[in-house]
Amino acid sequence: MGRHHARVLAGLEGVELVGVVDPMGDSNGWAQGAPVLSTVDELIARGLDYAVVACPTALHEEVGLRLAEAGVCALIEKPLADTVEGARRLVEAFESRGLVAGVGHIERCNPALRSMRARLEAGELGEVFQVVTRRQGPFPHRIADVGVVKDLATHDIDLTGWVTGQRYESIAAHTVSKSGRPHEDMVSAVGRLSDGTMVNHLVNWLSPLKERFTSVTGERGTFIADTLTADLTFHSNAAVATEWEALQAFRGVSEGDMIRYAIPKREPLLVEHELFRDAVRGIEKDICTLRDGLRTVEVAAALLESAKTGRTVTASVGELALHGA
């Protein structure tokens, strides 16, 4: 991800890319001409307003804490940290110093999901019943330190809470590890949000099919977002008279109109950086805060705990408690 961040930052209005840290150097020229440094301290010494942390997840806490100590704002790639405790320490480090900090949950900047969220907030779907996500694809060889839950499922955990405005209350999950790595590579989960909405997540990196699917079903129909193509469609319920007397008491739904919305499609990473740049400038923007990132890490930990114990786990903010399945 670092090379993509550098590309966007190098051309971002109002921002100067003053340096990139990579102990391995930059043989591919991904730093966009910026100086390539060996340590975070060398970068801090150049004088920074903010930094982007796009290193392996296990190093997020170490790098983030160093930036906070130096008074540097930071956009930290998702997930915020590889442990709940590490995520909490990062929240405390930046908040106690009054620094702007965010997490790179880029799906929040996907045009399809931004449009979906706005429509849900406007009440276009009515009461929400269920959120279903599928995130499948081949194994990403750049990932070595975490499993599919912390790498991919955190996308779906965050976007579900963000588009609905709700928090997870409970989660139950099963995982498998088929690739010979020490981490899980497939997960299936079912959960409940604070308003009673049902949630289902299917995530793996064992499939040759790449899929990024989010559906939200409510009393007026279903929104479906394909975040690979940034398309949003709406399948409405249709009112059809039932002549069969025995079924007249059952008010089901049938297929109605389908609409694919025409929406502006800007690069999500560019939108993410524009929002964070403005937040650093003091302009109030809808960024993914560290506390948002902490909640996602907590839910991911609850998901893994459920898979380990075979029990449903509550995912209340700040604590994880086991309950009988």
Side-chain angles (χ1 to χ4, degrees):
M1 278 301 294
R3 67 182 186 270
H4 298 299
H5 284 291
R7 170 181 55 82
V8 172
L9 287 167
L12 186 61
E13 182 181 355
V15 170
E16 180 186 357
L17 180 61
V18 298
V20 173
V21 175
D22 192 334
M24 301 297 292
D26 183 29
S27 58
N28 295 301
W30 288 337
Q32 303 294 314
V36 180
L37 311 170
S38 298
T39 67
V40 174
D41 285 339
E42 290 178 68
L43 184 65
I44 293 172
R46 299 184 69 84
L48 304 175
D49 293 309
Y50 72 95
V52 175
V53 180
C55 56
T57 304
L59 297 176
H60 285 188
E61 181 185 357
E62 176 186 341
V63 174
L65 291 178
R66 181 67 192 93
L67 292 169
E69 290 168 1
V72 178
C73 300
L75 175 62
I76 302 173
E77 259 300 343
K78 66 85 201 163
L80 175 56
D82 61 343
T83 65
V84 172
E85 295 74 21
R88 289 175 182 159
R89 284 189 286 268
L90 284 168
V91 171
E92 169 62 23
F94 283 93
E95 287 190 350
S96 65
R97 294 171 173 84
L99 297 169
V100 176
V103 185
H105 280 292
I106 197 169
E107 292 287 42
R108 293 190 179 205
C109 298
N110 188 284
L113 292 176
R114 292 181 74 82
S115 180
M116 177 192 284
R117 184 186 189 224
R119 294 175 186 279
L120 289 173
E121 289 180 337
E124 292 185 18
L125 202 59
E127 181 185 354
V128 174
F129 303 148
Q130 184 184 44
V131 179
V132 175
T133 70
R134 296 196 302 269
R135 187 173 298 267
Q136 306 179 87
F139 175 68
H141 293 285
R142 61 183 174 81
I143 301 298
D145 58 339
V146 295
V148 74
V149 170
K150 292 181 180 179
D151 180 60
L152 287 187
T154 48
H155 278 302
D156 295 316
I157 293 168
D158 179 74
L159 75 83
T160 296
W162 181 71
V163 299
T164 62
Q166 304 297 319
R167 296 184 180 183
Y168 284 77
E169 277 198 348
S170 66
I171 197 83
H174 293 282
T175 61
V176 296
S177 181
K178 296 292 186 180
S179 62
R181 301 171 64 252
H183 304 290
E184 78 289 341
D185 40 41
M186 177 179 285
V187 60
S188 178
V190 60
R192 185 179 67 249
L193 302 182
S194 51
D195 65 349
T197 298
M198 178 187 295
V199 175
N200 300 86
H201 300 309
L202 178 63
V203 188
N204 76 70
W205 51 35
L206 297 177
S207 170
L209 165 69
K210 189 168 185 178
E211 183 181 34
R212 301 291 185 266
F213 171 95
T214 301
S215 74
V216 180
T217 298
E219 61 181 324
R220 295 174 186 165
T222 300
F223 284 128
I224 296 179
D226 181 339
T227 54
L228 287 175
T229 60
D231 286 327
L232 178 66
T233 57
F234 174 57
H235 298 257
S236 69
N237 298 339
V240 178
T242 301
E243 298 180 8
W244 186 4
E245 184 177 355
L247 293 181
Q248 286 179 352
F250 175 71
R251 298 183 62 189
V253 298
S254 60
E255 184 178 4
D257 295 330
M258 184 184 75
I259 302 170
R260 189 178 72 179
Y261 297 106
I263 54 179
K265 296 183 179 181
R266 304 181 66 225
E267 182 183 0
L269 191 61
L270 174 59
V271 173
E272 180 178 80
H273 276 292
E274 288 175 342
L275 292 172
F276 192 75
R277 172 202 62 195
D278 290 347
V280 172
R281 287 172 165 172
I283 303 171
E284 187 174 348
K285 291 293 180 180
D286 182 21
I287 65 171
C288 180
T289 68
L290 294 197
R291 285 197 174 270
D292 294 337
L294 167 60
R295 283 192 288 270
T296 295
V297 172
E298 287 176 332
V299 174
L303 193 155
L304 289 170
E305 183 68 18
S306 172
K308 178 181 178 181
T309 63
R311 299 179 180 180
T312 297
V313 178
T314 62
S316 302
V317 174
E319 61 179 294
L320 301 176
L322 286 176
H323 290 273

